[in-house]
Amino acid sequence: MSRVVALGGGHGLSRTLLALRDMDDVDVTAVVTVADDGGSSGRLRRDFGVIPPGDMRKALASLTPDGRWAEWLEFRFARGDLAGHAVGNLMMVSLAEVLDGDLQGALDALGRLVGARGRVVPATLESVSLVAWGSRGMTFGQVAIARTSGHSRVRLDPERPEATPAALEAIGSADLVVLGPGSLFTSILPNIVVPGIAEALSTTAARLVLIGNLREQPGETEGLDLAGHLDVLATHLPARKVDVLVTHDGPTPRGPGRTLEPIAGHDHVLGIEAGDLLDGRDGHDPARLAAVLRGLLEP
């Protein structure tokens, strides 16, 4: 049984988890950012003082093979006081309260209920906010950072939250650790700037894989090419190079943002796997990602 850890958040992490979910010989752990401050997650964070559940819910839904359960987790109320809230968010928050604040216990219980093929763990259990700075100065909060460009670094506030033991254990025992795809500054880096996770990534014997994005993200990474993404990653994780960069080399993806062209090499990357990763629309194809990741797990 191979152990794979996927770090990130949002839709990008979802594609990787969909790729890993149906590999029978793979034990999957998703390590998920908890810096979100928008939507249902932001409301629950403000109203109940909990860490935002949205990215964890989406990861859990992606690991759930039964489409009905996955749809239930993602279902959002359309009217009334609950308008905008996702069922999975409410379940997670209420279960944690029933379990005397044990969010990991709530995640594990919810995972068993929906038959998730893998485990979801938060990067930290502390309440954190995201701060970015760059050519436009300081930007505060995940939503604001996603909407603006010119960032070069991010940190958390408080700056040194404690990483969850489950995340550190998973990274330390992994055969493969996968970063991305996903929003660089608001999904991937918020995990890496948790000090314990950065150290675990730097010392793990696992192969470190980065799945490159298909396009720049309007606002957040506008004007940043693939080499620029790697420069930023190297700034935040200087002690560990990427073993394999997986990039799309095929039809031009649709959707907003300039296409990120493949690169021949980078000082922070030891090897590159390039191929057609497109799902026929505008995102990474989970089946094609699965084929690449399975190849990277082979001796």
Side-chain angles (χ1 to χ4, degrees):
M1 179 75 70
S2 298
R3 296 184 177 92
V4 180
V5 173
L7 282 84
H11 294 285
L13 176 63
S14 176
R15 295 298 174 114
T16 298
L17 296 178
L18 288 170
L20 294 168
R21 183 188 68 195
D22 295 328
M23 295 185 186
D24 293 335
D25 55 347
V26 171
D27 180 9
V28 183
T29 300
V31 176
V32 184
T33 175
V34 292
D36 191 6
D37 60 1
S40 171
S41 287
R43 290 165 60 189
L44 291 169
R45 178 176 183 167
R46 291 187 293 272
D47 291 346
F48 292 93
V50 297
I51 65 174
D55 286 294
M56 293 179 284
R57 178 208 77 245
K58 183 169 288 294
L60 201 60
S62 300
L63 288 170
T64 300
D66 188 324
R68 294 167 300 177
W69 282 114
E71 184 179 359
W72 173 72
L73 287 171
E74 296 284 56
F75 177 84
R76 288 185 185 271
F77 294 93
R79 60 187 182 275
D81 292 341
L82 294 179
H85 277 305
V87 167
N89 290 354
L90 300 177
M91 284 292 295
M92 201 182 309
V93 172
S94 58
L95 266 173
E97 191 159 323
V98 168
L99 296 173
D100 298 322
D102 182 3
L103 177 63
Q104 188 61 64
L107 274 165
D108 292 340
L110 196 52
R112 289 191 296 271
L113 175 66
V114 299
R117 292 180 177 172
R119 193 182 192 201
V120 176
V121 302
T124 179
L125 289 172
E126 296 183 32
S127 178
V128 295
S129 298
L130 195 60
V131 182
W133 66 96
S135 61
R136 299 176 184 267
M138 304 286 284
T139 306
F140 298 88
Q142 181 265 340
V143 171
I145 292 167
R147 292 174 177 169
T148 54
S149 61
H151 313 302
S152 57
R153 290 190 67 96
V154 297
R155 66 169 174 82
L156 297 173
D157 182 23
E159 198 163 353
R160 299 188 63 82
E162 185 176 351
T164 56
L168 298 182
E169 181 181 353
I171 294 170
S173 62
D175 300 296
L176 202 69
V177 174
V178 183
L179 307 178
S183 302
L184 178 64
F185 293 101
T186 57
S187 290
I188 297 173
L189 293 179
N191 290 294
I192 294 173
V193 294
V194 176
I197 289 181
E199 182 180 351
L201 290 173
S202 299
T203 57
T204 182
R207 299 179 79 185
L208 182 63
V209 177
L210 173 66
I211 299 174
N213 289 338
L214 299 173
R215 301 175 301 274
E216 66 179 19
Q217 182 176 339
E220 182 168 335
T221 58
E222 193 170 336
L224 199 66
D225 61 12
L226 188 53
H229 280 67
L230 289 162
D231 292 340
V232 171
L233 179 61
T235 299
H236 291 81
L237 192 66
R240 176 65 189 264
K241 291 186 177 184
V242 172
D243 291 295
V244 181
L245 169 66
V246 178
T247 67
H248 171 66
D249 187 4
T252 301
R254 297 196 293 269
R258 182 185 60 177
T259 299
L260 296 181
E261 300 295 338
I263 58 175
H266 189 279
D267 289 343
H268 202 60
V269 172
L270 300 179
I272 295 177
E273 291 270 350
D276 183 359
L277 303 177
L278 198 60
D279 63 2
R281 298 184 298 277
D282 63 352
H284 288 83
D285 185 283
R288 294 182 177 186
L289 281 181
V292 172
L293 294 174
R294 184 171 293 283
L296 294 176
L297 285 168
E298 294 174 355

